[in-house]
Amino acid sequence: MVDVNAFIDEAVNRIREQVKDGKALIALSGGVDSSVCAILAHRAIGDKLVPVYVDTGLMRKGETDRIRELFSFMNPRIVDASDQFFGALKGVTDPEMKRKVVGENFIRVFEVVAKSLDVDYLIQGTIYPDRIESEGGIKSHHNVGGLPSVIDFKGIIEPIEDLYKDEVREVARALELPEEVAERMPFPGPGLSVRVIGEVTREKVEVIREANAIVEEEIVHKFKPWQCLAALLEKGTGVKGDNRCHGWIVAVRAVESRDAMTANHMELPWETLNKLSSRITSEIPSVARVVYDITPKPPATIEFE
Ligand code: XMP
């Protein structure tokens, strides 16, 4: 990016001009993209910004409480919609359908809030690679391709739609967002639903939420990956105590990347891999096996779905 401060001034002005005397809703997720958009929009329109955080039940461990704390100065509305999301995802196994279901339900929740508050615009943290992959038909990112066609807003505003992730982080630092937000790993809009192969249930999400927390604890600070995660595969046979069991197989992935368009797996030390396998299988009793993914993107994607 040539001049980050010029970008910020321009983005703030554009939001102010678009929203005018209206109100705008921001879908706050706590990730760097939506956080940057929220700060830009807050600068532009102050109290006319309505930040909404939807607790889908698909977020990482502790995320909802952290967001409540971090953005308290904006007075975010926290909507518990986990029943709605798990209900809508029941029986859905196709990855693209999951994205559509999650995307649609997000919008439905926002619409209800928007109507009750007389909100005109929706601000979204779509970035350039999201657009390219959606337009190319590679994957329908829930915040682009998953949008239902009839939306009750006067318009959608996407202030960072032309930026790559590292540029968004540059803007975040210039906006003095805390490091934990500015340097936060990407996390997909459909949340843990795309880290569970097949049907999404509360039980599976609980398992993978714990596994993701362990993976982040062991990898993020020490190795600074572009992204690291755990995904829930199938069940396989294991032995726990004196008994054979049918336990979950958890895949661990840690990658380096510049823009998420391509990625390479990290060559983590065996010591770390051993620790991950031992912690995940002992701290999550229903897991019997841990595997490490060594596939680059392409041909694999970063997420498992
Ligand atoms: P993939 O798995 O396609 O992911 O290599 C590339 C980057 O995008 C994130 N990702 C998503 N982000 N909605 C999002 O907002 C989505 O549906 C979605 N799917 C993947 C992924 O975590 C990675 O950073």
Side-chain angles (χ1 to χ4, degrees), residues 99 133 139 141-143 186 188-190 227 260 297 301-303:
R99 287 191 160 74
E133 293 207 343
K139 190 180 272 185
H141 281 252
H142 96 275
N143 50 359
Q227 209 164 345
K297 172 183 182 178
T301 49
I302 294 174
E303 301 290 344

Side-chain angles (χ1 to χ4, degrees), residues 252-285:
V252 175
R253 186 145 170 76
V255 296
E256 290 167 316
S257 177
R258 196 193 95 84
D259 54 14
M261 309 281 254
T262 60
N264 277 314
H265 76 276
M266 294 187 93
E267 298 199 5
L268 293 179
W270 280 109
E271 192 195 353
T272 303
L273 295 172
N274 289 340
K275 191 160 180 208
L276 281 166
S277 142
S278 139
R279 279 196 64 189
I280 293 172
T281 50
S282 63
E283 292 175 32
I284 315 172

Side-chain angles (χ1 to χ4, degrees), residues 33 95-96 99 125-127 129-130 133-134 138-144 165 185-191 194-195 226-227 229 253 255 259-263 297 300-305:
D33 304 339
E96 289 307 277
R99 287 191 160 74
T126 313
I127 65 170
D130 300 342
E133 293 207 343
S134 286
I138 298 169
K139 190 180 272 185
S140 65
H141 281 252
H142 96 275
N143 50 359
V144 186
K165 199 67 150 196
M185 288 190 303
F187 183 63
V194 292
R195 293 186 181 171
W226 163 271
Q227 209 164 345
L229 58 100
R253 186 145 170 76
V255 296
D259 54 14
M261 309 281 254
T262 60
K297 172 183 182 178
T301 49
I302 294 174
E303 301 290 344
F304 273 66
E305 286 199 333

